[in-house]
Structures are given as C-alpha cells and as structure tokens.
Amino acid sequence: MDSCDKDRLFRQGLEAFNSSRFFQAHEHWEEVWLETPEPEKTFLQGLIQIAAGFHHYSRNNRQGARSLLLAGLSKLELGPAVYRGLEIGSLRQGVRRWQEWLETGNNPEQDQIPRISSLAESRDNP
C-alpha cells in the first residue's frame, strides 16, 4: 500500500469516526495499521481501540467500551497533543470524561462522544 492509499484510508477512518460510524472507522484505520511502522503504529492502534470502544458502547456493551477506551487512551497518552494536524489532546480529554462517566455508572448520550478535529477546524471555530 502506498502513502496515498494510507492517507486516503486514514481520512476515511476520520470521517467515519466523526460521523459515529465507529466500526467503519476501525476497519479503515486497521488497514493502515497493518502496514505502518512504529511509532505511528501505536498511535493508530489507540485510535482503533477508541473507535471500537465507542462501537461497543453503541451496542450496549459498557464493559467492552470501558476496557477499549482505556486501552486506546493509554496509547494516545504516549504521543503529543497534536498529531498529523489533529487535536489529539482534545480527544484524550473527551475519552477521559467518558471513562469517568462509565466508571460512575452514568449513561452518556451518543451525541456526547468526542470528535477528532483538525487544527484548521479549531482555528476556524474559536
């Protein structure tokens, strides 16, 4: 797979995630992950696990959601707050909030799932 294919699949995964199509995001990113060396491989695995965690939550599997969100967050915590032009720090903060909610027995709404925004989007929407 060449870099153009990887970029296309990564963007498709990002679009799927931000549209709450978490299983599809997982699938797109996993294709890239399979052919990516470290350290980006760990970053992608973190995104994949977070997408899978929200997918589990959408299917009423709270334990699976908690477990995968925690695993994904631990991988994303290893990297910078901005990665590939994306606001990973904001995503980490949102996932931490979800972890707290799930640990305390709250049932957050689907529309409270964090989105992954780019730096350009953040500058355009202060």
Side-chain angles (χ1 to χ4, degrees):
M1 174 182 313
D2 67 21
S3 64
C4 289
D5 289 334
K6 283 182 175 182
D7 286 343
R8 178 183 51 78
L9 285 167
F10 183 82
R11 284 190 313 274
Q12 287 174 339
L14 187 60
E15 180 183 318
F17 184 93
N18 285 337
S19 299
S20 299
R21 293 178 287 126
F22 303 111
F23 183 79
Q24 289 87 353
H26 169 280
E27 293 294 300
H28 289 302
W29 288 333
E30 189 169 63
E31 272 190 73
V32 178
W33 174 80
L34 288 169
E35 297 196 23
T36 300
E38 292 294 350
E40 189 168 12
K41 189 173 198 87
T42 296
F43 167 76
L44 287 168
Q45 188 176 26
L47 289 180
I48 290 164
Q49 288 173 322
I50 287 172
F54 287 126
H55 175 70
H56 278 280
Y57 185 79
S58 73
R59 299 179 61 79
N60 297 314
N61 178 355
R62 291 175 55 90
Q63 182 57 38
R66 283 179 52 205
S67 174
L68 284 162
L69 289 174
L70 183 60
L73 182 60
S74 70
K75 288 177 180 63
L76 293 186
E77 295 282 14
L78 299 172
V82 176
Y83 193 84
R84 291 186 76 163
L86 300 174
E87 296 275 356
I88 301 305
S90 297
L91 175 63
R92 292 188 303 220
Q93 183 178 20
V95 172
R96 277 189 221 102
R97 189 170 42 249
W98 266 76
Q99 278 295 115
E100 290 172 16
W101 288 336
L102 293 174
E103 301 250 341
T104 57
N106 290 317
N107 292 309
E109 297 294 323
Q110 290 280 105
D111 65 353
Q112 294 176 292
I113 292 175
R115 299 293 176 245
I116 304 171
S117 58
S118 70
L119 285 176
E121 289 172 22
S122 296
R123 283 192 296 262
D124 293 342
N125 298 311

